[in-house]
Amino acid sequence: MSTVSIKGTEESNNAVLEFMKEYSSIAMMLNVPIYALMSKLAFIAEKKYRYNYTEHLVIFMYLLAQLSFVGFVTTLIGAFSGLSLGTISFISIPIIFIYIGYCLKRILNLDWTNFLMRALIFICILIALIVLIAIVIGVIMYLNGDFQNMNEAQKAAAEASRAIKDSIN
């Protein structure tokens, strides 16, 4: 990556980060119905694990409340120890998935093989959803002309980087 930054690219990155910082709690709340639906789909074939969608919502609201508290404590510990938010996230995301899996295993009384099979189904649904969202975002960016702006910013950054290299040599 180049150390040269284009003003438009930097401004758009800052705007996205500011938006995420401002509305992260809303984004987390909007994810709960999605996680509940994915969980419902992962357990749809089994009669003995059949909970209705509302019960899956309650399960994931419970998990969100616990994970929010743990995330707050983890962020405080990271802030006092000097760790960056990226490092804290890198460490905590696998722990979050393990904890959610543990809770679902306990709530639904799953054995290990069924748990692993349902976790794989959940992950496949998650990957399909991420791909679908990426496609929708790509189409929106294409229709808005954002791809053209990104292309121009990349070309300008490459030219600026080349100019700096030439001036050094």
Side-chain angles (χ1 to χ4, degrees):
M1 292 258 281
S2 174
T3 57
V4 177
S5 128
I6 304 302
K7 189 169 179 62
T9 305
E10 187 176 328
E11 288 174 2
S12 68
N13 288 344
N14 288 337
V16 168
L17 287 174
E18 196 61 37
F19 179 82
M20 291 297 291
K21 214 184 315 180
E22 186 73 26
Y23 298 107
S24 65
S25 59
I26 293 173
M28 286 179 66
M29 294 298 292
L30 290 175
N31 283 333
V32 170
I34 295 169
Y35 292 147
L37 179 64
M38 290 170 33
S39 176
K40 176 77 174 146
L41 292 174
F43 291 99
I44 201 162
E46 292 287 331
K47 294 257 188 231
K48 67 180 184 176
Y49 305 124
R50 186 154 299 175
Y51 284 98
N52 63 33
Y53 179 70
T54 306
E55 291 168 327
H56 282 276
L57 279 173
V58 170
I59 290 169
F60 279 94
M61 287 299 289
Y62 167 78
L63 290 173
L64 176 68
Q66 286 189 330
L67 292 174
S68 295
F69 178 73
V70 170
F72 173 73
V73 172
T74 306
T75 303
L76 281 178
I77 291 170
F80 286 120
S81 66
L83 294 173
S84 70
L85 190 57
T87 304
I88 294 169
S89 297
F90 184 75
I91 293 169
S92 64
I93 286 176
I95 294 170
I96 288 170
F97 280 115
I98 290 169
Y99 180 71
I100 289 172
Y102 169 77
C103 287
L104 289 175
K105 183 182 179 315
R106 293 287 308 254
I107 290 169
L108 301 170
N109 294 320
L110 299 171
D111 59 359
W112 280 106
T113 56
N114 205 349
F115 168 71
L116 292 175
M117 184 179 72
R118 300 300 171 181
L120 287 174
I121 292 170
F122 190 88
I123 290 169
C124 290
I125 294 169
L126 179 65
I127 290 170
L129 186 65
I130 289 171
V131 168
L132 180 67
I133 290 171
I135 290 170
V136 168
I137 289 173
V139 168
I140 290 171
M141 288 178 70
Y142 178 76
L143 294 175
N144 286 341
D146 289 336
F147 277 137
Q148 183 67 24
N149 294 340
M150 286 174 42
N151 192 17
E152 290 172 6
Q154 288 295 324
K155 286 180 183 177
E159 287 178 25
S161 178
R162 222 175 287 119
I164 290 174
K165 281 183 185 177
D166 289 342
S167 67
I168 292 174
N169 293 333

